[in-house]
Amino acid sequence: MTDPGPDESASPPTSADPGAARPDWVGFWRVRRWDEAEPSVPTYYVATTESWDVVKREAGQEPHVAAHPILEIDGQTIVLKDEGTPDEDAERWRPEVDGDTLRVTARTGPHAESVGVAERMATDPREMASDVPTS
């Protein structure tokens, strides 16, 4: 049996147990709004149960990937941190999916109460050609 692709949904797990069902927020997302504003450059989320990566693609350049390892999945809350920072600096985020729309709210940390809104996409933004329009 093969695992479902990143654009397929499943019920959210209650822990980071690898045998648990895959969360519906796992996949590729095009960020449309962050804190009520459009991102200044095309921005994407690449979400797995291990990491929540933020990918920014400026025209003609390789993508910039900011990795955010996930330390814990607790029901509808994920605990993540900036790659290379101590675990005690982790933040709590709440992702919610409605159809092909993701809404993720920072609950703690420097981004507390910030909200990202994104649309599901089929293509991994890290693998898109740099000369392909990203809007």
Side-chain angles (χ1 to χ4, degrees), residues 7-132:
D7 56 343
E8 296 173 326
S9 296
S11 302
T14 55
S15 70
D17 175 7
R22 192 163 82 164
D24 56 359
W25 46 260
V26 168
F28 308 125
W29 303 90
R30 168 71 191 262
V31 178
R32 294 299 182 187
R33 312 234 9 114
W34 172 253
D35 238 6
E36 300 185 24
E38 288 185 40
S40 59
V41 299
T43 303
Y44 307 86
Y45 298 139
V46 176
T48 70
T49 55
E50 292 83 34
S51 182
W52 188 287
D53 296 345
V54 177
V55 179
K56 294 189 176 189
R57 296 199 59 105
E58 294 197 48
Q61 296 184 17
E62 290 298 312
H64 171 75
V65 179
H68 298 85
I70 294 176
L71 305 177
E72 179 184 353
I73 301 172
D74 182 14
Q76 287 294 330
T77 300
I78 58 174
V79 179
L80 55 80
K81 65 176 190 164
D82 290 339
E83 188 171 59
T85 63
D87 289 0
E88 56 268 14
D89 292 342
E91 299 179 33
R92 299 180 75 75
W93 289 67
R94 181 177 177 89
E96 301 171 275
V97 176
D98 183 12
D100 286 336
T101 301
L102 167 73
R103 179 182 172 91
V104 60
T105 305
R107 298 293 191 198
T108 63
H111 301 105
E113 302 308 316
S114 295
V115 177
V117 177
E119 294 174 357
R120 188 179 297 275
M121 55 187 281
T123 305
D124 184 335
R126 298 167 297 190
E127 297 176 4
M128 295 182 339
S130 62
D131 59 347
V132 172

